[in-house]
Amino acid sequence: MRYTSLDAIREEIGRGALSCRQLVERYLQNIHTKRHLNAFLEVFEEEALRQAEEVDAKLQAGTAGKLAGMVIGIKDVLAYEGHALQASSQILNGFKSLYTATAVQRLLAEDAIIIGRQNCDEFAMGGSNENSAFGPALNEVDTTRVPGGSSGGSAVAVQADLCLASIGSDTGGSVRQPAAYCGVVGMKPTYSRISRYGLIAYASSFDQIGVITQSVEDAALLLEVMAGSDEFDATVSQRPVPAYSQNLTFDRPARIGFIRDSFESPGLNNEVKTAVQGVLDQLQTDGHTVEPVEFHFLDYIVPTYYILTTAEASSNLGRYDGVKYGFRSQNATDLASMYKKTRSEGFGKEVQRRIILGTFVLSADYYDAYYTKAQQVRRLIKEKTDELLSQYDFLILPTTPTTAFKIGENTKDPLAMYLEDIYTVQANLAGIPAISLPIGHDAAGLPIGVQVMTKAFGEEQLFAFSKHLMNHPPHVTA
């Protein structure tokens, strides 16, 4: 039996038909059977079974936390004390985390069971999971296709029923894009809503921990547990955290803007366009106001994003030098060659490409022409997005321009790969919450996702509206 929500699991446990240990054993069997999908880099088998027994005892005693029965995988960019942490890169071979990320610690405190660490693009840099040093994760619907990235393994694990939920990171769509490709729910909260303490940095002003689930309810509950102030992260919001999971009723007409420019993009697949249009038509039928809105910055989003994120990456990844931890080249002859060879041998090609690009845009001769200009454009994008969200409750657009593409299809064309993020990076540039919801399949059976965005710290209404949308979907095959 496939469980699609924590409520379903807790109901089975409540009537004595299931224990947490039996649940973990079931997921472990699925992981073993589907190991060809390469979703997990490491499975914490004995530890997960031990945790399950402890949670079973707490359930018997009536002292279990909110997440008792929730089996979770974590993307290989989140620290978990005593466990390997590699960001799917060779440069962190042999490294074990000395502490636990705040988000992970809060999950454990509410009795979530961590079953393993999941495959991803190296240092979260990629949109297909093909940049992992351990090979790509595979889309279960069609194993010749990518699952998306960078949280590809995390999305596949939920898609293939290897765990109930996954915790990923989203820098420019890395939770939402793979969720769309795999037919599951992917949610990125407002920047600063969840502490980044213990999250390996790619681009610090963009990175945000997000969730991948099978239901909106579970996504709301996980954010409720992980969000909130943290003394270890000076950038995290001090705002109180609403009880998202308790406020999932949306019973009023909403004002919805759909970004016309996204529907007129030449790269948008017709089947994706038809499916998203079906959602808009259904919302209008349900009594909501649905209007086209102009967002003329769409063509500037991807260039702005990649200039700024690569600049931040070139700085953040300077710490991986072979001196302090992780991989060190055995071919070095002096200090300078150790730095060069360690980084050349330890980093993959995509990471090297982004470091080089970031170093270039930060160089003295080009700083103002590229980095400063990109920061100015980012401000314009944020201001226009905020202006639209002052007029509309939600903005809707496709999550991705296409369905999952073939493995290897875009690897020789970085620009084509980067353009897969064209609809997701707006939320990261503006720092607002966004969610991808599964709405159907194309003619080949590949999942299609729709993306909903709302104003900063508007997660409560975003979850409620998302549940409403999932309860009244067109769910047609395009």
XYZ file of all heavy atoms in Angstrom, residues 409-461:
393
model
N 20.404 15.203 -23.088
C 19.867 16.056 -24.149
C 20.421 17.478 -24.116
O 20.651 18.088 -25.155
C 18.334 16.094 -24.044
C 17.638 16.846 -25.158
C 16.126 16.749 -25.050
O 15.611 15.708 -24.574
O 15.450 17.714 -25.446
N 20.634 18.004 -22.903
C 21.070 19.397 -22.775
C 22.478 19.557 -22.205
O 22.909 20.681 -21.947
C 20.094 20.179 -21.881
C 18.743 20.383 -22.543
O 18.640 20.408 -23.751
N 17.706 20.518 -21.727
N 23.176 18.461 -22.005
C 24.471 18.556 -21.321
C 25.518 19.322 -22.128
O 26.433 19.913 -21.555
C 25.016 17.155 -20.986
O 24.989 16.344 -22.174
C 24.189 16.491 -19.910
N 25.396 19.328 -23.456
C 26.378 20.036 -24.274
C 25.943 21.466 -24.601
O 26.632 22.179 -25.329
C 26.636 19.264 -25.564
C 27.332 17.920 -25.327
C 27.642 17.213 -26.641
C 28.364 15.889 -26.375
N 28.673 15.160 -27.639
N 24.809 21.858 -24.042
C 24.284 23.204 -24.280
C 23.870 23.819 -22.945
O 22.700 23.764 -22.562
C 23.093 23.143 -25.233
C 22.602 24.520 -25.660
O 23.101 25.524 -25.108
O 21.729 24.596 -26.535
N 24.832 24.395 -22.205
C 24.512 24.952 -20.884
C 23.385 25.971 -20.920
O 22.573 26.033 -19.994
C 25.835 25.599 -20.451
C 26.886 24.868 -21.218
C 26.258 24.521 -22.533
N 23.299 26.767 -21.987
C 22.250 27.779 -22.066
C 20.865 27.141 -22.092
O 19.940 27.600 -21.409
C 22.450 28.661 -23.305
C 21.456 29.814 -23.470
C 21.493 30.727 -22.252
C 21.748 30.591 -24.744
N 20.716 26.062 -22.860
C 19.433 25.360 -22.909
C 19.079 24.808 -21.532
O 17.915 24.853 -21.105
C 19.480 24.230 -23.933
N 20.086 24.302 -20.819
C 19.863 23.793 -19.463
C 19.432 24.921 -18.533
O 18.487 24.785 -17.754
C 21.142 23.137 -18.941
C 20.974 22.432 -17.609
S 20.162 20.832 -17.755
C 21.515 19.830 -18.358
N 20.115 26.057 -18.622
C 19.803 27.182 -17.736
C 18.389 27.721 -17.990
O 17.705 28.170 -17.062
C 20.819 28.306 -17.923
C 22.245 27.952 -17.526
C 23.313 28.765 -17.905
C 22.529 26.813 -16.783
C 24.626 28.455 -17.555
C 23.823 26.479 -16.434
C 24.881 27.302 -16.821
O 26.169 26.991 -16.470
N 17.937 27.673 -19.240
C 16.619 28.208 -19.576
C 15.479 27.348 -19.044
O 14.324 27.790 -19.039
C 16.495 28.371 -21.096
C 17.286 29.558 -21.681
C 17.229 29.539 -23.200
C 16.776 30.886 -21.144
N 15.777 26.135 -18.580
C 14.751 25.335 -17.917
C 14.298 25.990 -16.615
O 13.248 25.660 -16.070
C 15.266 23.916 -17.648
C 15.432 23.064 -18.898
C 14.124 22.725 -19.579
O 13.132 22.443 -18.878
O 14.080 22.770 -20.822
N 15.091 26.942 -16.093
C 14.767 27.641 -14.847
C 14.005 28.940 -15.081
O 13.779 29.698 -14.135
C 16.057 27.984 -14.085
C 16.819 26.754 -13.616
O 16.189 25.696 -13.459
O 18.039 26.857 -13.406
N 13.616 29.226 -16.316
C 13.110 30.560 -16.639
C 11.880 30.957 -15.819
O 11.680 32.134 -15.522
C 12.807 30.664 -18.156
C 12.538 32.119 -18.539
C 11.672 29.726 -18.563
C 12.510 32.353 -20.040
N 11.057 29.988 -15.417
C 9.839 30.323 -14.674
C 10.003 30.231 -13.161
O 9.144 30.707 -12.418
C 8.685 29.414 -15.103
C 8.354 29.490 -16.576
C 8.063 28.342 -17.298
C 8.335 30.707 -17.251
C 7.759 28.399 -18.655
C 8.038 30.775 -18.611
C 7.753 29.619 -19.297
O 7.455 29.681 -20.647
N 11.059 29.602 -12.699
C 11.202 29.399 -11.252
C 12.089 30.428 -10.559
O 11.923 30.672 -9.367
C 11.760 27.987 -10.958
O 12.978 27.794 -11.686
C 10.751 26.909 -11.334
N 13.037 31.037 -11.294
C 14.010 31.896 -10.602
C 13.416 33.214 -10.147
O 13.975 33.871 -9.258
C 15.264 32.153 -11.471
C 15.995 30.865 -11.748
C 14.904 32.857 -12.766
N 12.280 33.616 -10.697
C 11.666 34.879 -10.277
C 11.398 34.897 -8.776
O 11.650 35.900 -8.097
C 10.355 35.117 -11.035
C 9.648 36.415 -10.643
C 8.339 36.602 -11.400
O 7.995 35.829 -12.301
N 7.592 37.629 -11.054
N 10.893 33.782 -8.259
C 10.571 33.726 -6.829
C 11.816 33.877 -5.964
O 11.768 34.493 -4.891
C 9.857 32.413 -6.500
N 12.944 33.342 -6.422
C 14.190 33.462 -5.658
C 14.768 34.870 -5.759
O 15.295 35.402 -4.781
C 15.213 32.442 -6.141
C 14.732 31.020 -5.971
O 13.984 30.519 -6.813
N 15.143 30.358 -4.905
N 14.685 35.471 -6.944
C 15.163 36.844 -7.099
C 14.358 37.799 -6.234
O 14.902 38.750 -5.667
C 15.074 37.263 -8.567
C 16.134 36.691 -9.507
C 15.704 36.823 -10.958
C 17.480 37.378 -9.281
N 13.054 37.554 -6.109
C 12.178 38.429 -5.337
C 12.069 38.016 -3.874
O 11.548 38.775 -3.047
C 10.784 38.455 -5.968
N 12.533 36.807 -3.538
C 12.493 36.330 -2.156
C 11.122 35.920 -1.666
O 10.875 35.875 -0.458
N 10.219 35.587 -2.590
C 8.839 35.265 -2.213
C 8.603 33.753 -2.214
O 9.371 33.003 -2.799
C 7.838 35.933 -3.176
C 8.081 35.472 -4.616
C 7.920 37.458 -3.061
C 7.022 35.945 -5.605
N 7.530 33.290 -1.560
C 7.238 31.851 -1.556
C 6.577 31.403 -2.855
O 5.860 32.169 -3.505
C 6.277 31.691 -0.374
C 5.586 33.016 -0.276
C 6.597 34.047 -0.696
N 6.841 30.155 -3.225
C 6.256 29.595 -4.444
C 6.113 28.091 -4.272
O 6.908 27.455 -3.574
C 7.138 29.915 -5.656
N 5.119 27.554 -4.924
C 4.854 26.118 -4.822
C 4.556 25.561 -6.209
O 3.966 26.244 -7.047
C 3.668 25.844 -3.866
C 3.565 24.361 -3.501
C 2.353 26.361 -4.427
C 2.618 24.080 -2.337
N 5.028 24.341 -6.473
C 4.689 23.627 -7.702
C 3.736 22.499 -7.352
O 3.996 21.716 -6.431
C 5.945 23.065 -8.377
O 5.594 22.320 -9.533
N 2.640 22.424 -8.113
C 1.620 21.413 -7.871
C 1.442 20.546 -9.111
O 1.432 21.063 -10.235
C 0.281 22.080 -7.528
C 0.306 23.041 -6.339
C -0.998 23.835 -6.281
C 0.525 22.281 -5.037
N 1.302 19.231 -8.949
C 1.089 18.349 -10.101
C -0.322 18.522 -10.644
O -1.295 18.497 -9.890
C 1.303 16.951 -9.514
C 0.966 17.096 -8.053
C 1.359 18.490 -7.667
N -0.445 18.709 -11.965
C -1.779 18.979 -12.541
C -2.145 18.030 -13.671
O -3.202 18.171 -14.277
C -1.877 20.425 -13.053
C -0.760 20.731 -14.058
C -1.886 21.408 -11.897
C -0.959 22.032 -14.814
N -1.288 17.082 -13.978
C -1.619 16.159 -15.053
C -0.377 15.643 -15.748
O 0.735 15.741 -15.203
N -0.553 15.111 -16.949
C 0.542 14.508 -17.703
C 0.416 14.876 -19.170
O -0.670 15.220 -19.648
C 0.514 12.979 -17.563
C 0.584 12.499 -16.157
N -0.531 12.446 -15.332
C 1.633 12.048 -15.418
C -0.165 11.985 -14.148
N 1.124 11.740 -14.173
N 1.534 14.793 -19.873
C 1.471 14.981 -21.315
C 1.092 13.658 -21.979
O 0.810 12.660 -21.299
C 2.781 15.551 -21.852
C 3.955 14.571 -21.767
O 3.746 13.387 -21.397
O 5.089 14.980 -22.079
N 1.080 13.632 -23.303
C 0.652 12.433 -24.029
C 1.547 11.239 -23.765
O 1.128 10.082 -23.898
C 0.601 12.738 -25.530
N 2.805 11.499 -23.369
C 3.746 10.408 -23.081
C 3.689 9.967 -21.623
O 4.459 9.102 -21.203
C 5.166 10.851 -23.438
N 2.788 10.557 -20.855
C 2.660 10.195 -19.452
C 3.607 10.921 -18.528
O 3.717 10.578 -17.344
N 4.304 11.950 -19.021
C 5.251 12.695 -18.198
C 4.526 13.777 -17.415
O 3.670 14.491 -17.960
C 6.332 13.331 -19.076
C 7.204 12.336 -19.849
C 8.071 13.077 -20.870
C 8.084 11.533 -18.890
N 4.835 13.936 -16.124
C 4.113 14.886 -15.273
C 4.294 16.343 -15.704
O 5.314 16.731 -16.263
C 4.730 14.644 -13.894
C 5.300 13.270 -13.946
C 5.782 13.103 -15.354
N 3.268 17.129 -15.409
C 3.270 18.571 -15.648
C 2.941 19.271 -14.336
O 2.065 18.825 -13.590
C 2.226 18.957 -16.715
C 2.583 18.316 -18.065
C 2.118 20.478 -16.860
C 1.506 18.489 -19.125
N 3.637 20.371 -14.051
C 3.388 21.120 -12.827
C 2.966 22.549 -13.109
O 3.351 23.134 -14.120
N 2.157 23.103 -12.222
C 1.803 24.513 -12.270
C 2.407 25.192 -11.044
O 2.495 24.589 -9.972
C 0.275 24.726 -12.294
C -0.388 24.284 -10.988
C -0.078 26.177 -12.594
N 2.842 26.429 -11.211
C 3.484 27.148 -10.117
C 2.592 28.284 -9.632
O 2.017 29.024 -10.435
C 4.825 27.715 -10.591
C 5.617 28.406 -9.498
C 6.958 28.921 -9.998
O 7.843 29.225 -9.217
N 7.127 29.027 -11.300
N 2.492 28.416 -8.325
C 1.723 29.493 -7.705
C 2.664 30.279 -6.796
O 3.373 29.696 -5.975
C 0.530 28.951 -6.887
C -0.330 30.109 -6.373
C -0.307 27.978 -7.705
N 2.656 31.602 -6.942
C 3.484 32.478 -6.112
C 2.583 33.449 -5.363
O 1.508 33.815 -5.839
C 4.482 33.256 -6.969
C 5.396 32.396 -7.809
S 6.710 33.328 -8.662
C 5.746 34.341 -9.788
N 3.042 33.901 -4.205
C 2.307 34.913 -3.458
C 3.304 35.836 -2.763
O 4.517 35.666 -2.878
C 1.333 34.275 -2.448
O 0.417 35.266 -1.973
C 2.063 33.657 -1.268
N 2.806 36.805 -2.030
C 3.658 37.818 -1.408
C 4.520 37.203 -0.302
O 4.226 36.109 0.209
C 2.808 38.940 -0.834
C 1.878 38.499 0.286
C 1.002 39.655 0.747
C 0.050 39.183 1.859
N -0.832 40.283 2.320
N 5.579 37.910 0.052
C 6.499 37.426 1.082
C 5.752 37.135 2.377
O 4.877 37.901 2.796
C 7.594 38.464 1.328
N 6.080 36.017 2.987
C 5.485 35.529 4.234
C 3.979 35.261 4.087
O 3.251 35.255 5.073
C 5.771 36.486 5.394
C 7.231 36.644 5.673
C 7.918 37.766 5.209
C 7.943 35.667 6.348
C 9.279 37.907 5.429
C 9.309 35.804 6.570
C 9.971 36.928 6.107
N 3.559 34.981 2.854
C 2.163 34.632 2.614
C 1.945 33.133 2.493
O 1.006 32.695 1.830
N 2.806 32.353 3.139
C 2.711 30.884 3.026
C 1.369 30.343 3.497
O 0.865 29.360 2.945
C 3.830 30.219 3.825
C 5.205 30.314 3.203
C 5.959 31.572 3.581
O 5.367 32.445 4.265
O 7.135 31.701 3.201
N 0.783 30.979 4.504
C -0.468 30.462 5.044
C -1.557 30.453 3.974
O -2.230 29.437 3.762
C -0.901 31.309 6.247
C -2.070 30.722 7.014
C -2.303 31.435 8.334
O -1.702 32.504 8.569
O -3.085 30.917 9.152
N -1.723 31.563 3.258
C -2.738 31.590 2.206
C -2.301 30.779 0.994
O -3.133 30.213 0.281
C -3.072 33.030 1.810
C -2.013 33.771 1.048
C -2.551 35.054 0.403
O -3.740 35.374 0.508
N -1.684 35.788 -0.282
